[in-house]
Amino acid sequence: MGSCLETEFKRYYDSLTKAANADVSSRQTRMCIADLARFSLKYLKASAKRVTLTSSVKAKEYFAYSSTSKADTLSRPVNKKLFDGRYASLAKRLDSWCAGTMAVEDAPRFIYSICLAPCLVFELLNRGNKKGPATYFERVIGHLLSGALGVAPVRQAWLPLRGLNRVSMTMDFLFDLGSTRRVHVAAKMSTRERIVQAWAHQVMLNKVFANPKYTGVLVLFSETKLDVKAKKVTEICVPDQWLAYQCLLTQMDRIFYLDPPKRYLDLAKEHPGVIPVQILPPTPKQIESALR
């Protein structure tokens, strides 16, 4: 990627950082998400090429992007069925989703694509940059859920300690919906990103807040892994670890995926009430209903 494009991408990302740090639920944050996603999709179309990958995941086809200037650099895998590369009217389509007027059948591809596109560009710029994509995904999910729940989240939880002053813990998103409901959301690109931290935070919240308790929610992107040399995609799943966390640490009440692994969907069927995995509901109203 040329230096001018790198600079422009960074400018859009820095604008989103500033807006989201001020208020992840704001209109300004939404505009910045749309600007960054649109720029990323335009870049991928104009300055990158698709590379077909071998998929070891049943019934899923994947490809990656390669920069025309760095042919040996590959992005993370992209689910062919879920990706929509269109960038025209992206801000209007994001407004439509947030307003609940987007067609239900269009919503999953739209959300998957705006969550993924800047992550792909990050990786074409610097394949080793893990923080950028993770932080971007977290901000998008924070904004979308803020709209669905109708309240801005906080990130600091003040926890009293026996015999000591209270301490502050930073978490992804904490939504206070009044006297009847609270929601704790952890947003991660995959469970390989320090995922036990989500359960640890939920344990602490359960000990301090009882009436109302915090509903524990995980929002995850996928569990794909790319063998760059072989250009082969696999899904990495750890079902025993999930069962142990859910049964021995605490229960996360909802686990949403944008591209859910079949192994975890099967695990949810094998252990109903223990592994609550499902695809992220496609509309704000359905998300709000799922979090009740």
Side-chain angles (χ1 to χ4, degrees):
M1 179 183 283
S3 58
C4 291
L5 291 175
E6 283 189 40
T7 300
E8 193 171 0
F9 179 80
K10 184 177 185 302
R11 178 171 62 83
Y12 283 125
Y13 182 76
D14 288 347
S15 294
L16 173 58
T17 297
K18 182 178 179 180
N21 286 347
D23 181 0
V24 77
S25 69
S26 70
R27 174 73 183 173
Q28 183 64 30
T29 296
R30 186 187 307 176
M31 292 169 61
C32 291
I33 290 170
D35 286 344
L36 181 58
R38 181 177 61 247
F39 176 85
S40 299
L41 289 167
K42 288 178 70 175
Y43 168 74
L44 292 170
K45 183 174 182 179
S47 304
K49 62 180 181 178
R50 293 188 177 191
V51 177
T52 300
L53 302 174
T54 301
S55 176
S56 64
V57 184
K58 186 177 181 181
K60 291 184 182 181
E61 295 180 70
Y62 290 93
F63 66 90
Y65 277 102
S66 173
S67 171
T68 53
S69 62
K70 299 178 183 178
D72 58 338
T73 300
L74 289 179
S75 71
R76 70 182 62 211
V78 181
N79 186 314
K80 184 177 180 181
K81 183 178 180 180
L82 291 175
F83 190 72
D84 181 355
R86 296 177 297 158
Y87 52 82
S89 303
L90 194 145
K92 289 183 178 179
R93 286 187 285 149
L94 182 53
D95 282 342
S96 175
W97 187 90
C98 292
T101 57
M102 177 177 283
V104 172
E105 61 270 21
D106 294 336
R109 294 184 75 220
F110 176 71
I111 296 303
Y112 179 91
S113 302
I114 66 166
C115 283
L116 181 59
C119 301
L120 302 173
V121 177
F122 264 119
E123 291 167 341
L124 295 181
L125 279 168
N126 180 0
R127 192 68 173 84
N129 185 341
K130 305 298 183 183
K131 183 178 180 180
T135 302
Y136 171 74
F137 178 69
E138 178 185 297
R139 288 167 177 159
V140 176
I141 295 303
H143 180 77
L144 298 181
L145 267 62
S146 296
L149 295 172
V151 64
V154 297
R155 305 198 62 173
Q156 298 297 124
W158 289 96
L159 309 174
L161 301 180
R162 186 178 302 173
L164 299 171
N165 293 329
R166 62 180 186 167
V167 296
S168 173
M169 292 290 295
T170 301
M171 304 186 184
D172 284 1
F173 301 108
L174 299 169
F175 295 90
D176 190 337
L177 289 92
S179 61
T180 60
R181 191 158 51 121
R182 293 188 178 106
V183 179
H184 162 225
V185 176
K188 308 293 181 187
M189 290 297 288
S190 80
T191 54
R192 298 190 295 280
E193 291 182 6
R194 301 175 290 110
I195 197 61
V196 71
Q197 183 184 76
W199 271 272
H201 286 168
Q202 188 65 31
V203 168
M204 289 185 277
L205 292 171
N206 288 348
K207 286 182 175 294
V208 174
F209 301 97
N211 188 26
K213 71 180 289 289
Y214 273 95
T215 297
V217 180
L218 268 174
V219 182
L220 300 156
F221 188 79
S222 72
E223 298 295 350
T224 56
K225 184 176 181 180
L226 174 62
D227 181 331
V228 175
K229 186 176 181 180
K231 294 184 173 62
K232 183 176 181 180
V233 182
T234 56
E235 286 183 329
I236 306 299
C237 298
V238 284
D240 287 351
Q241 178 177 289
W242 275 42
L243 287 169
Y245 287 177
Q246 285 288 89
C247 295
L248 300 177
L249 291 179
T250 192
Q251 185 91 10
M252 297 300 289
D253 302 286
R254 309 282 187 276
I255 301 174
F256 297 131
Y257 271 99
L258 275 66
D259 182 12
K262 184 177 184 300
R263 181 67 187 93
Y264 285 156
L265 293 174
D266 291 343
L267 191 68
K269 294 176 183 177
E270 295 164 12
H271 302 276
V274 177
I275 304 293
V277 173
Q278 65 182 92
I279 298 172
L280 181 73
T283 70
K285 186 176 181 179
Q286 289 173 318
I287 290 174
E288 192 280 332
S289 178
L291 294 180
R292 289 178 186 170

